[in-house]
Amino acid sequence: MKKIVGIIGGMGPLATIDLFQKIVNLTPVKRDQDHLRIIIDNNPGIPDRTESILNKNKRPLPYLVKSAKKLEKMGVDIIAIPCNTAHYFYDDLQNEIKVPIINMIDEVVDTVSSELKKLPKKIGLLATDGTIRSGIYQGPLNNADIKIIVPNKLLQKKVMNLIYGKKGIKRNSIITKEVQNEFRKIISWLTKKGARAIIIGCTDISSAVNPKRFSVPIIDSNLVLAKTVIRRIVSPLQMGSHSFH
């Protein structure tokens, strides 16, 4: 029997589609039947994670637990969550179920450490206020002796507007050229401040940033998550000589 992947989605729906698309694109297959079996619980009703972190409550947790338990009952072998900010609740959520949940933050930090082996250890972080304020990246990156550079207050306000504002990703569920250009400017600012690589630490931003358009490595958390899902589910025989690099 093939192992089954569960995805707790809806945070937001575009980020969920992006993860699913990346998994499909990256899985080595010769036919439909070679693809992974994936069950997605796309629940956009999960309370906003950033708002909860800033207001110091755990409103999203019961919703996350409900989705996880639903997926567990449906027989999934592993769970992925395409939302960085939701990983603030990772330990509490994992304690509620037996199925292992991929820790996207840990996977991204491992990727960063690998990318920066031959570079000065300075990383730019593009994320929501909730992710930055929670420190979910700062802790493990500091432990790896990696300095974090985040946008200044004005630019961080712009990041949030690009995600939540009238023309933002969450409101429109599309990526406009204007949004792409604004993120490009913010990444340029981070690199000028010394960032030798950039973490896209918000899965909604993943679709708005094309790694090929930058001179520094772009570490897309949703891409890292997709690769991790495949590595943990696909057999070495099926992987063959397939490389993610």
Side-chain angles (χ1 to χ4, degrees), residues 14-76:
L14 191 64
T16 305
I17 293 170
D18 182 64
L19 175 64
F20 182 64
Q21 184 74 65
K22 283 179 165 71
I23 292 172
V24 170
N25 289 347
L26 288 169
T27 304
V29 300
K30 294 180 180 178
R31 55 181 185 164
D32 286 347
Q33 290 75 15
D34 295 333
H35 280 282
L36 305 186
R37 184 175 178 189
I38 299 174
I39 299 174
I40 301 172
D41 184 15
N42 188 66
N43 182 9
I46 298 172
D48 189 82
R49 285 64 58 199
T50 287
E51 183 180 328
S52 293
I53 290 169
L54 297 182
N55 291 323
K56 299 180 180 180
N57 65 61
K58 293 188 176 183
R59 286 186 62 227
L61 184 58
Y63 294 80
L64 293 168
V65 170
K66 187 175 181 180
S67 280
K69 287 187 174 180
K70 184 182 295 184
L71 291 169
E72 188 173 44
K73 285 181 181 178
M74 295 179 78
V76 304

Side-chain angles (χ1 to χ4, degrees), residues 26-28 223 226-231 239 241-245:
L26 288 169
T27 304
L223 181 59
K227 291 177 179 179
T228 304
V229 167
I230 295 167
R231 272 200 309 271
M239 286 292 291
S241 60
H242 187 81
S243 173
F244 290 135
H245 301 291

Side-chain angles (χ1 to χ4, degrees), residues 112-132:
V112 169
S113 297
S114 177
E115 288 282 355
L116 295 182
K117 275 183 180 177
K118 297 180 181 179
L119 295 170
K121 293 192 174 184
K122 293 181 180 179
I123 190 90
L125 176 60
L126 202 55
T128 63
D129 288 352
T131 294
I132 291 173

Side-chain angles (χ1 to χ4, degrees), residues 196-240:
R196 307 300 293 179
I198 305 292
I199 294 175
I200 305 301
C202 171
T203 50
D204 277 315
I205 300 175
S206 294
S207 299
V209 176
N210 182 351
K212 295 179 181 179
R213 304 192 71 172
F214 299 92
S215 58
V216 297
I218 301 294
I219 299 163
D220 174 3
S221 56
N222 235 10
L223 181 59
V224 171
L225 183 57
K227 291 177 179 179
T228 304
V229 167
I230 295 167
R231 272 200 309 271
R232 295 200 186 180
I233 296 297
V234 177
S235 69
L237 185 62
Q238 187 180 345
M239 286 292 291

